[in-house]
Amino acid sequence: MPKKVDHEARRLEIAEALWRIASTRGLDGVSLRDVAAEADISLGRLQHYFRTKDEMLLFALRHINSLADQRIRERIGALAAGPGSGAGTDTGTGPSAESEAEAKAEAGQGPPPRAVLRECLMGMLPLDEKSRVGTLVGAAYFARAIHDERLREEAREGIPRLAEFLASLLRSARERGETAGGRALDPYTEAMLLISLVDGLTAYTLLGVQTGEEAAQRLDAHLDRLFAVR
């Protein structure tokens, strides 16, 4: 009886091989043959799952982003439930932890919008090995997407969704009187500025201009200016 192959699991194994290469020597000039060797499969077998390097890179980026999202959801879930509740370990079906935390914040329950916003932004910084590898894969994607219309579409769709979620938290904080700008604050503009700030902090952390701890401190300093001190 032919052996049943889990194609999704094999694609994930290939993506993980790509991440290992990214973490040790970057992805500049890396070929499908290099990834096949790292995954310990033949080039022909790899091309059965990914026809091109861009297709493989996009899959790897989406999966590593999914893992990062899961880690952030768990951290927000722990905030929403409070200490000692064991929250953050349930990744099953149902409302996302982000939307649940946001709804509680709007109702005056659970963590304030700033706390949820901070967890999201800190989760985007390369503060540990997993997030560092994810950032390196993202940088490789960015370099290729500049010259590839199909790859750019991923950013054009994903970034506005992220900005709108962050803006919803800022909007809630503004309604609660917690933002330094008061009613004059433009939530979407501030959300895009926050994304841009995190991108800059990420780049300088990877280049060794600052440590991850310093990046986190600078993000907190900006949030202190954005939110009214009580």
Side-chain angles (χ1 to χ4, degrees), residues 76-176:
I76 293 174
L79 277 178
S85 66
T89 58
D90 180 9
T91 57
T93 59
S96 69
E98 295 101 321
S99 59
E100 183 177 346
E102 180 190 342
K104 286 186 176 181
E106 289 177 348
Q109 306 168 354
R114 172 177 173 159
V116 179
L117 181 67
R118 182 181 185 276
E119 288 298 328
C120 292
L121 297 172
M122 287 294 178
M124 294 164 60
L125 290 173
L127 302 180
D128 57 28
E129 186 58 24
K130 287 183 178 180
S131 56
R132 178 181 174 276
V133 171
T135 301
L136 290 172
V137 174
Y141 159 80
F142 177 80
R144 296 177 72 87
I146 290 175
H147 304 289
D148 189 305
E149 177 69 21
R150 186 178 64 86
L151 289 177
R152 279 202 303 275
E153 191 65 26
E154 187 80 6
R156 280 203 298 266
E157 292 180 359
I159 296 300
R161 286 198 300 268
L162 172 61
E164 184 50 48
F165 171 67
L166 299 181
S168 70
L169 294 171
L170 290 166
R171 199 172 293 117
S172 176
R174 185 185 63 183
E175 295 302 317
R176 290 158 55 115

XYZ file of all heavy atoms in Angstrom, residues 76-176:
734
model
N -1.772 38.398 24.529
C -2.944 39.242 24.739
C -4.002 38.482 25.529
O -4.685 39.045 26.395
C -3.512 39.723 23.384
C -2.514 40.670 22.711
C -4.850 40.439 23.585
C -2.913 41.083 21.314
N -4.139 37.184 25.241
C -5.097 36.372 25.979
C -4.766 36.341 27.464
O -5.649 36.388 28.310
N -3.462 36.270 27.782
C -3.042 36.272 29.179
C -3.364 37.616 29.828
O -3.770 37.672 30.991
C -1.541 35.984 29.269
N -3.187 38.704 29.085
C -3.531 40.027 29.601
C -5.025 40.119 29.895
O -5.451 40.628 30.933
C -3.170 41.108 28.582
C -1.732 41.611 28.527
C -1.602 42.628 27.409
C -1.297 42.217 29.842
N -5.830 39.630 28.943
C -7.276 39.754 29.064
C -7.826 38.957 30.237
O -8.782 39.369 30.896
C -7.950 39.288 27.764
N -7.222 37.800 30.499
C -7.733 36.933 31.553
C -7.164 37.270 32.920
O -7.746 36.928 33.938
C -7.438 35.473 31.216
N -6.002 37.931 32.934
C -5.392 38.286 34.205
C -4.416 37.229 34.655
O -4.387 36.115 34.135
N -3.563 37.538 35.638
C -2.533 36.606 36.092
C -3.113 35.366 36.748
O -4.162 35.413 37.384
C -1.734 37.448 37.116
C -2.709 38.489 37.585
C -3.567 38.803 36.395
N -2.412 34.264 36.519
C -2.773 33.021 37.196
C -3.951 32.297 36.592
O -4.441 31.325 37.145
N -4.421 32.768 35.416
C -5.608 32.145 34.836
C -5.276 31.026 33.884
O -6.140 30.267 33.483
C -6.418 33.203 34.085
O -5.673 33.670 32.975
N -3.983 30.984 33.435
C -3.608 29.978 32.441
C -4.021 30.390 31.062
O -3.998 29.591 30.135
N -4.440 31.632 30.863
C -4.841 32.089 29.534
C -3.634 32.129 28.636
O -2.511 32.220 29.053
C -5.473 33.484 29.644
N -3.937 32.106 27.346
C -2.876 32.200 26.370
C -2.446 30.849 25.843
O -1.616 30.783 24.960
N -2.966 29.767 26.395
C -2.580 28.447 25.914
C -3.633 27.854 25.001
O -3.389 26.861 24.334
C -2.363 27.488 27.098
O -3.559 27.418 27.874
C -1.221 27.976 27.979
N -4.787 28.462 24.926
C -5.860 27.940 24.087
C -5.815 28.618 22.744
O -6.018 29.804 22.624
C -7.213 28.215 24.753
C -8.375 27.680 23.927
O -8.108 26.961 22.944
O -9.524 27.983 24.271
N -5.508 27.875 21.692
C -5.450 28.442 20.344
C -6.500 27.793 19.462
O -6.330 27.678 18.257
C -4.054 28.212 19.736
O -3.779 26.803 19.752
C -2.975 28.937 20.524
N -7.583 27.391 20.043
C -8.634 26.728 19.279
C -9.531 27.722 18.582
O -9.195 28.870 18.386
N -10.735 27.278 18.222
C -11.645 28.123 17.481
C -12.310 29.112 18.412
O -12.195 29.038 19.618
C -12.723 27.267 16.802
O -13.418 26.531 17.810
C -12.106 26.325 15.798
N -13.040 30.062 17.820
C -13.709 31.078 18.621
C -13.127 32.436 18.325
O -12.216 32.574 17.514
N -13.645 33.489 18.994
C -13.176 34.842 18.748
C -11.692 34.952 19.038
O -11.168 34.333 19.954
C -13.999 35.689 19.736
C -15.168 34.842 20.097
C -14.699 33.430 20.008
N -10.976 35.772 18.256
C -9.549 35.945 18.468
C -9.314 36.660 19.782
O -10.142 37.419 20.259
C -8.939 36.769 17.325
O -9.395 38.106 17.397
N -8.148 36.421 20.361
C -7.814 37.069 21.625
C -7.728 38.568 21.450
O -8.074 39.325 22.346
C -6.489 36.520 22.154
N -7.259 39.015 20.265
C -7.152 40.449 20.036
C -8.516 41.117 20.093
O -8.710 42.099 20.808
C -6.515 40.747 18.667
C -5.069 40.303 18.534
C -4.967 39.009 17.781
O -5.843 38.144 18.012
O -4.031 38.852 16.987
N -9.481 40.577 19.338
C -10.795 41.205 19.301
C -11.498 41.107 20.646
O -12.216 42.018 21.062
C -11.659 40.564 18.206
O -11.815 39.186 18.431
N -11.274 39.994 21.351
C -11.883 39.831 22.675
C -11.306 40.852 23.650
O -12.032 41.485 24.423
C -11.649 38.412 23.194
C -12.319 38.158 24.545
C -12.120 36.721 25.002
O -11.720 35.892 24.175
O -12.356 36.459 26.185
N -9.973 41.013 23.609
C -9.335 41.979 24.506
C -9.785 43.391 24.168
O -10.010 44.219 25.047
C -7.810 41.868 24.387
N -9.908 43.673 22.869
C -10.355 45.003 22.439
C -11.768 45.274 22.940
O -12.077 46.368 23.442
C -10.308 45.086 20.915
C -10.755 46.432 20.365
C -10.933 46.385 18.866
O -10.400 45.470 18.221
O -11.631 47.275 18.348
N -12.671 44.288 22.822
C -14.048 44.465 23.268
C -14.101 44.705 24.770
O -14.862 45.551 25.250
C -14.869 43.233 22.889
N -13.302 43.967 25.537
C -13.275 44.162 26.981
C -12.747 45.538 27.343
O -13.232 46.189 28.270
C -12.407 43.082 27.643
C -13.060 41.713 27.689
C -12.207 40.737 28.476
C -12.892 39.389 28.623
N -12.093 38.441 29.414
N -11.727 45.994 26.583
C -11.163 47.311 26.864
C -12.182 48.400 26.614
O -12.312 49.353 27.379
C -9.921 47.535 25.990
N -12.955 48.259 25.520
C -13.976 49.254 25.200
C -15.064 49.283 26.264
O -15.676 50.314 26.528
C -14.583 48.953 23.828
C -13.618 49.240 22.671
C -14.212 48.877 21.332
O -15.262 48.190 21.316
O -13.650 49.279 20.297
N -15.318 48.138 26.887
C -16.348 48.060 27.924
C -15.800 48.415 29.303
O -16.509 48.331 30.298
C -16.941 46.649 27.957
N -14.517 48.809 29.337
C -13.910 49.160 30.614
C -13.478 47.953 31.415
O -13.229 48.052 32.610
N -13.396 46.797 30.793
C -12.979 45.577 31.462
C -11.640 45.124 30.893
O -11.252 45.502 29.810
C -14.018 44.468 31.260
C -15.427 44.861 31.677
C -16.451 43.848 31.201
O -16.127 42.921 30.486
N -17.688 44.045 31.604
N -10.956 44.272 31.637
C -9.723 43.710 31.118
C -8.633 44.749 30.969
O -8.707 45.848 31.508
N -7.567 44.417 30.205
C -6.437 45.324 30.059
C -6.817 46.557 29.245
O -7.647 46.485 28.342
C -5.400 44.473 29.315
C -6.219 43.492 28.544
C -7.386 43.177 29.431
N -6.210 47.700 29.532
C -6.491 48.906 28.760
C -5.940 48.778 27.343
O -5.062 47.944 27.082
C -5.770 50.008 29.548
C -4.693 49.287 30.291
C -5.264 47.932 30.625
N -6.436 49.585 26.414
C -5.970 49.504 25.024
C -4.460 49.617 24.885
O -3.853 48.941 24.049
C -6.683 50.673 24.347
C -7.917 50.881 25.160
C -7.527 50.570 26.571
N -3.834 50.477 25.715
C -2.376 50.633 25.614
C -1.663 49.310 25.853
O -0.686 48.986 25.162
C -1.877 51.681 26.610
C -0.346 51.713 26.657
C 0.220 52.760 27.563
N 1.671 52.597 27.652
C 2.509 53.537 28.025
N 2.050 54.738 28.342
N 3.812 53.304 28.091
N -2.113 48.538 26.838
C -1.456 47.280 27.163
C -1.556 46.299 25.995
O -0.590 45.611 25.656
C -2.069 46.674 28.417
N -2.731 46.242 25.359
C -2.916 45.352 24.207
C -2.052 45.825 23.048
O -1.383 45.033 22.370
C -4.399 45.312 23.789
C -4.584 44.414 22.567
C -5.268 44.811 24.947
N -2.046 47.145 22.816
C -1.237 47.721 21.741
C 0.238 47.412 21.950
O 0.950 47.024 21.008
C -1.469 49.234 21.702
C -0.727 50.026 20.618
C -1.261 49.654 19.243
C -0.881 51.524 20.860
N 0.700 47.552 23.168
C 2.116 47.300 23.461
C 2.483 45.844 23.192
O 3.555 45.556 22.623
C 2.419 47.649 24.920
C 3.891 47.462 25.296
C 4.136 47.802 26.762
N 5.555 47.728 27.093
C 6.199 46.604 27.415
N 5.522 45.449 27.468
N 7.494 46.622 27.688
N 1.626 44.908 23.595
C 1.919 43.505 23.347
C 2.042 43.221 21.852
O 2.919 42.470 21.413
C 0.831 42.620 23.960
C 0.848 42.554 25.475
C 2.127 41.968 26.033
O 2.738 41.093 25.384
O 2.526 42.393 27.128
N 1.161 43.821 21.063
C 1.211 43.632 19.607
C 2.521 44.155 19.036
O 3.189 43.483 18.249
C 0.038 44.340 18.945
S -1.562 43.620 19.287
N 2.896 45.363 19.432
C 4.089 45.997 18.882
C 5.363 45.303 19.352
O 6.297 45.104 18.564
C 4.111 47.479 19.265
C 2.955 48.313 18.692
C 2.967 49.719 19.290
C 3.027 48.384 17.175
N 5.414 44.921 20.623
C 6.587 44.192 21.121
C 6.734 42.861 20.397
O 7.844 42.390 20.137
C 6.470 43.965 22.632
C 6.688 45.211 23.473
S 8.389 45.830 23.354
C 8.241 47.305 24.404
N 5.599 42.243 20.059
C 5.641 40.972 19.343
C 6.177 41.095 17.935
O 6.552 40.089 17.318
N 6.234 42.319 17.409
C 6.750 42.543 16.063
C 8.250 42.800 16.060
O 8.876 42.805 14.993
C 6.011 43.737 15.432
C 4.537 43.474 15.184
S 3.583 44.982 14.885
C 4.385 45.657 13.429
N 8.850 43.031 17.217
C 10.285 43.305 17.303
C 11.079 41.998 17.379
O 10.604 41.009 17.936
C 10.594 44.151 18.543
C 10.119 45.604 18.526
C 10.360 46.248 19.891
C 10.829 46.400 17.436
N 12.309 41.978 16.858
C 13.151 40.767 16.922
C 13.840 40.649 18.278
O 15.041 40.890 18.416
C 14.165 40.999 15.792
C 14.315 42.488 15.729
C 12.956 43.050 16.064
N 13.080 40.257 19.295
C 13.588 40.216 20.660
C 14.064 38.835 21.090
O 14.606 38.674 22.171
C 12.511 40.724 21.633
C 12.007 42.146 21.368
C 10.954 42.538 22.394
C 13.164 43.148 21.361
N 13.824 37.809 20.266
C 14.334 36.473 20.545
C 14.690 35.814 19.220
O 14.524 36.411 18.154
C 13.311 35.643 21.335
C 11.968 35.535 20.629
O 11.927 35.597 19.375
O 10.944 35.406 21.314
N 15.205 34.596 19.279
C 15.699 33.949 18.060
C 14.585 33.688 17.056
O 14.771 33.870 15.849
C 16.408 32.642 18.410
C 17.101 31.958 17.230
C 18.153 32.836 16.558
O 18.688 33.756 17.192
O 18.434 32.598 15.367
N 13.414 33.277 17.542
C 12.313 32.990 16.617
C 11.872 34.238 15.865
O 11.681 34.213 14.655
C 11.130 32.391 17.386
C 11.339 30.957 17.838
C 10.097 30.419 18.526
C 10.290 28.966 18.943
N 9.092 28.424 19.627
N 11.703 35.334 16.605
C 11.264 36.560 15.940
C 12.373 37.122 15.061
O 12.105 37.746 14.029
C 10.807 37.598 16.966
O 11.820 37.870 17.913
N 13.634 36.897 15.440
C 14.753 37.361 14.606
C 14.748 36.639 13.268
O 14.900 37.259 12.206
C 16.075 37.119 15.338
C 17.306 37.531 14.518
C 18.604 37.262 15.276
N 19.753 37.517 14.430
C 20.259 36.644 13.573
N 19.711 35.440 13.458
N 21.301 36.949 12.825
N 14.575 35.319 13.289
C 14.538 34.550 12.034
C 13.362 35.001 11.185
O 13.487 35.183 9.970
C 14.463 33.037 12.329
C 14.206 32.252 11.039
C 15.756 32.562 12.977
N 12.207 35.206 11.824
C 11.045 35.666 11.078
C 11.295 37.007 10.413
O 10.892 37.237 9.270
N 12.008 37.885 11.111
C 12.316 39.194 10.555
C 13.269 39.073 9.373
O 13.134 39.795 8.373
C 12.944 40.098 11.639
O 12.017 40.219 12.719
C 13.228 41.478 11.090
N 14.236 38.160 9.464
C 15.176 37.965 8.354
C 14.463 37.431 7.110
O 14.752 37.850 5.985
C 16.291 37.009 8.775
C 17.282 37.559 9.804
C 18.224 36.467 10.279
C 18.085 38.718 9.205
N 13.520 36.511 7.316
C 12.727 36.019 6.181
C 11.908 37.169 5.598
O 11.801 37.332 4.375
C 11.818 34.858 6.613
C 10.877 34.450 5.474
C 12.649 33.657 7.043
N 11.336 37.999 6.475
C 10.570 39.140 6.015
C 11.419 40.120 5.232
O 10.973 40.698 4.235
N 12.675 40.316 5.664
C 13.574 41.229 4.952
C 13.898 40.697 3.556
O 13.967 41.468 2.583
C 14.855 41.419 5.759
N 14.090 39.384 3.464
C 14.356 38.783 2.149
C 13.145 38.947 1.238
O 13.271 39.244 0.038
C 14.701 37.302 2.315
N 11.955 38.767 1.800
C 10.720 38.977 1.037
C 10.631 40.419 0.567
O 10.321 40.704 -0.597
C 9.514 38.628 1.903
C 8.225 39.262 1.442
C 7.492 38.720 0.398
C 7.761 40.434 2.040
C 6.332 39.326 -0.040
C 6.601 41.040 1.610
C 5.894 40.489 0.571
O 4.745 41.099 0.141
N 10.926 41.374 1.468
C 10.825 42.794 1.147
C 11.746 43.147 -0.020
O 11.347 43.855 -0.955
C 11.206 43.623 2.374
C 11.203 45.105 2.135
C 10.015 45.829 2.150
C 12.390 45.786 1.888
C 10.017 47.192 1.919
C 12.400 47.139 1.659
C 11.213 47.863 1.673
N 12.985 42.637 0.023
C 13.949 42.955 -1.027
C 13.471 42.477 -2.392
O 13.670 43.150 -3.413
C 15.303 42.333 -0.691
N 12.815 41.322 -2.445
C 12.323 40.801 -3.724
C 10.998 41.449 -4.121
O 10.734 41.655 -5.305
C 12.167 39.277 -3.640
C 13.477 38.545 -3.427
C 13.282 37.050 -3.280
N 12.941 36.412 -4.534
C 13.818 35.973 -5.431
N 15.111 36.125 -5.213
N 13.432 35.390 -6.540
N 10.181 41.805 -3.129
C 8.853 42.360 -3.428
C 8.935 43.734 -4.076
O 8.024 44.125 -4.821
C 8.028 42.443 -2.150
N 9.997 44.477 -3.811
C 10.146 45.806 -4.409
C 10.056 45.729 -5.930
O 9.516 46.626 -6.582
C 11.487 46.439 -3.977
C 11.434 46.800 -2.489
C 11.805 47.679 -4.806
C 12.746 47.317 -1.940
N 10.554 44.634 -6.494
C 10.591 44.486 -7.948
C 9.593 43.450 -8.461
O 9.672 43.050 -9.620
C 12.005 44.091 -8.388
C 13.067 45.039 -7.925
N 13.204 46.306 -8.439
C 14.021 44.904 -6.967
C 14.207 46.930 -7.829
N 14.715 46.101 -6.937
N 8.674 43.012 -7.608
C 7.722 41.978 -8.016
C 6.312 42.380 -7.602
O 5.989 42.417 -6.415
C 8.106 40.640 -7.367
C 7.292 39.471 -7.905
O 6.039 39.550 -7.853
O 7.890 38.478 -8.343
N 5.478 42.663 -8.577
C 4.119 43.142 -8.322
C 3.299 42.134 -7.524
O 2.565 42.509 -6.604
C 3.412 43.429 -9.650
C 1.960 43.865 -9.526
C 1.807 45.244 -8.917
O 2.781 46.015 -8.947
O 0.713 45.533 -8.394
N 3.446 40.845 -7.826
C 2.655 39.823 -7.145
C 3.039 39.730 -5.667
O 2.181 39.602 -4.795
C 2.863 38.460 -7.819
C 1.966 37.359 -7.258
C 2.198 36.065 -8.009
N 3.548 35.579 -7.813
C 3.913 34.810 -6.783
N 3.021 34.477 -5.869
N 5.147 34.386 -6.669
N 4.332 39.812 -5.369
C 4.771 39.749 -3.983
C 4.378 41.012 -3.214
O 4.056 40.951 -2.034
C 6.296 39.564 -3.920
C 6.838 38.193 -4.347
C 8.348 38.188 -4.295
C 6.265 37.087 -3.482
N 4.389 42.155 -3.893
C 4.008 43.405 -3.227
C 2.560 43.375 -2.772
O 2.186 44.035 -1.796
C 4.212 44.609 -4.157
C 5.631 45.099 -4.222
C 5.696 46.545 -4.690
N 5.067 46.763 -5.972
C 5.659 46.584 -7.146
N 6.913 46.154 -7.183
N 5.022 46.824 -8.272
N 1.724 42.617 -3.449
C 0.310 42.550 -3.107
C 0.101 42.071 -1.679
O -0.837 42.503 -0.993
C -0.412 41.615 -4.087
C -1.924 41.673 -3.993
C -2.495 43.025 -4.408
O -1.839 43.730 -5.204
O -3.579 43.380 -3.916
N 0.988 41.194 -1.193
C 0.890 40.677 0.171
C 0.975 41.818 1.180
O 0.200 41.888 2.140
C 2.017 39.671 0.419
C 1.921 38.937 1.737
C 0.939 37.785 1.708
O 0.404 37.472 0.634
O 0.709 37.199 2.786
N 1.925 42.729 0.966
C 2.088 43.867 1.882
C 0.944 44.860 1.731
O 0.443 45.403 2.725
C 3.422 44.553 1.618
N 0.506 45.085 0.516
C -0.570 46.058 0.288
C -1.871 45.623 0.944
O -2.691 46.450 1.322
C -0.779 46.273 -1.215
C 0.235 47.219 -1.846
C -0.309 47.827 -3.121
N -0.579 46.807 -4.113
C 0.282 46.445 -5.066
N 1.470 47.013 -5.123
N -0.024 45.522 -5.941
N -2.063 44.312 1.089
C -3.272 43.816 1.741
C -3.081 43.682 3.255
O -3.989 43.980 4.026
C -3.656 42.453 1.156
C -4.118 42.521 -0.291
C -4.487 41.155 -0.837
O -4.349 40.154 -0.079
O -4.905 41.070 -1.999
N -1.899 43.229 3.680
C -1.682 42.936 5.093
C -1.453 44.153 5.963
O -2.000 44.234 7.077
N -0.671 45.108 5.491
C -0.339 46.270 6.323
C -1.577 47.101 6.665
O -1.764 47.476 7.837
C 0.736 47.144 5.650
C 2.045 46.362 5.512
C 0.969 48.426 6.446
C 2.625 45.894 6.829
N -2.468 47.414 5.718
C -3.673 48.169 6.102
C -4.541 47.442 7.121
O -5.141 48.085 7.994
C -4.413 48.337 4.764
C -3.329 48.305 3.728
C -2.363 47.276 4.253
N -4.611 46.100 7.054
C -5.382 45.355 8.051
C -4.765 45.509 9.431
O -5.472 45.711 10.428
C -5.464 43.877 7.672
C -6.410 43.564 6.528
C -6.773 42.079 6.501
N -5.609 41.234 6.344
C -5.132 40.816 5.175
N -5.732 41.176 4.058
N -4.068 40.036 5.119
N -3.438 45.403 9.500
C -2.754 45.580 10.780
C -2.962 47.000 11.294
O -3.254 47.204 12.478
C -1.256 45.299 10.610
C -0.367 45.621 11.817
C -0.782 44.790 13.033
C 1.102 45.395 11.463
N -2.819 47.984 10.404
C -2.983 49.382 10.814
C -4.389 49.640 11.339
O -4.568 50.363 12.334
C -2.671 50.314 9.639
N -5.383 49.049 10.723
C -6.760 49.273 11.169
C -6.997 48.653 12.542
O -7.708 49.233 13.373
C -7.745 48.697 10.153
C -9.207 48.985 10.491
C -9.488 50.451 10.806
O -9.044 51.314 10.033
O -10.128 50.735 11.842
N -6.399 47.493 12.796
C -6.538 46.893 14.120
C -5.883 47.773 15.185
O -6.472 48.040 16.245
C -5.933 45.499 14.150
C -5.863 44.923 15.544
C -7.018 44.605 16.237
C -4.638 44.737 16.171
C -6.967 44.102 17.536
C -4.574 44.241 17.470
C -5.745 43.923 18.151
N -4.651 48.247 14.918
C -3.974 49.127 15.872
C -4.756 50.424 16.049
O -4.869 50.949 17.164
C -2.552 49.422 15.399
C -1.609 48.222 15.240
C -0.236 48.691 14.790
C -1.501 47.424 16.528
N -5.321 50.926 14.945
C -6.111 52.159 15.018
C -7.347 51.969 15.891
O -7.762 52.886 16.611
C -6.518 52.607 13.616
N -7.937 50.780 15.861
C -9.123 50.523 16.682
C -8.774 50.596 18.171
O -9.573 51.062 18.984
C -9.736 49.156 16.340
O -8.904 48.095 16.777
N -7.564 50.158 18.521
C -7.120 50.260 19.912
C -6.885 51.716 20.295
O -7.255 52.161 21.392
C -5.838 49.446 20.104
C -5.971 47.926 19.945
C -4.601 47.277 19.943
C -6.838 47.341 21.048
N -6.265 52.464 19.399
C -6.025 53.886 19.660
C -7.338 54.655 19.745
O -7.493 55.566 20.568
C -5.136 54.471 18.559
C -3.681 53.994 18.578
C -2.983 54.343 17.277
C -2.936 54.605 19.756
N -8.292 54.264 18.913
C -9.606 54.918 18.933
C -10.293 54.682 20.280
O -10.886 55.592 20.863
C -10.447 54.368 17.781
C -11.633 55.228 17.364
C -12.263 54.680 16.096
N -11.367 54.800 14.948
C -10.877 53.774 14.269
N -11.188 52.528 14.593
N -10.071 53.981 13.239
N -10.179 53.445 20.771
C -10.768 53.113 22.066
C -10.091 53.905 23.183
O -10.757 54.436 24.082
C -10.623 51.613 22.322
O -11.094 51.270 23.604
N -8.756 54.008 23.110
C -8.022 54.777 24.121
C -8.400 56.254 24.071
O -8.535 56.908 25.109
C -6.519 54.613 23.903
N -8.598 56.770 22.877
C -8.993 58.177 22.727
C -10.361 58.419 23.359
O -10.561 59.410 24.062
C -9.028 58.560 21.248
C -9.311 60.029 20.979
C -9.458 60.303 19.496
N -10.603 59.594 18.924
C -10.920 59.621 17.621
N -10.171 60.303 16.762
N -11.965 58.956 17.178
N -11.289 57.493 23.150
C -12.627 57.637 23.737
C -12.572 57.573 25.258
O -13.410 58.174 25.940
C -13.554 56.540 23.194
C -13.834 56.633 21.702
C -14.463 57.952 21.311
O -15.368 58.412 22.037
O -14.033 58.544 20.293
N -11.610 56.857 25.782
C -11.456 56.742 27.240
C -10.641 57.900 27.829
O -10.395 57.939 29.028
C -10.764 55.414 27.571
C -11.633 54.193 27.312
C -10.792 52.923 27.135
N -9.890 52.663 28.256
C -9.987 51.607 29.067
N -10.962 50.715 28.878
N -9.125 51.417 30.032
